[in-house]
Amino acid sequence: MTEPTESLIEYPSDFPIKIMGPTHDAFAPTIVGVVVQHDPTFHIDKLEVRPSSKGNYTGLTATVRATSREQLDNLYRALSSHPMVKMVL
């Protein structure tokens, strides 16, 4: 059994983060800007973009290079609190 402070993720590793928000031309570039602040090695090639079936929302999957639990926590907080973001998984 792992302690609550232990991580199930081995660092460094590639870690996918799913981000949902209303469809907007600036959504993906804005989110890339937030991700790069926490993972300077992030490149647009590591971003998947999927519009919802009706086109009202856009789902992004950003595969970041996770170097620590703290880095991921900070990235999740930055994305979750961003006004363009509805959900982060």
Side-chain angles (χ1 to χ4, degrees):
M1 180 139 187
T2 60
E3 295 295 316
T5 56
E6 288 183 23
S7 175
L8 299 175
I9 303 166
E10 288 186 25
Y11 299 101
S13 68
D14 289 337
F15 190 82
I17 298 176
K18 295 185 185 294
I19 307 115
M20 287 280 293
T23 297
H24 188 283
D25 288 345
F27 183 58
T30 300
I31 297 309
V32 167
V34 173
V35 171
V36 167
Q37 290 175 4
H38 297 273
D39 174 11
T41 68
F42 184 78
H43 189 270
I44 194 77
D45 291 344
K46 300 270 187 176
L47 185 72
E48 292 177 39
V49 180
R50 283 181 309 287
S52 66
S53 58
K54 292 184 181 175
N56 296 330
Y57 290 91
T58 298
L60 305 176
T61 301
T63 303
V64 298
R65 189 68 178 162
T67 56
S68 69
R69 170 76 183 264
E70 180 182 20
Q71 175 212 26
L72 283 179
D73 287 350
N74 289 338
L75 178 53
Y76 269 94
R77 273 193 290 276
L79 290 169
S80 297
S81 65
H82 195 282
M84 292 180 93
V85 174
K86 292 293 179 204
M87 186 184 333
V88 181
L89 302 171

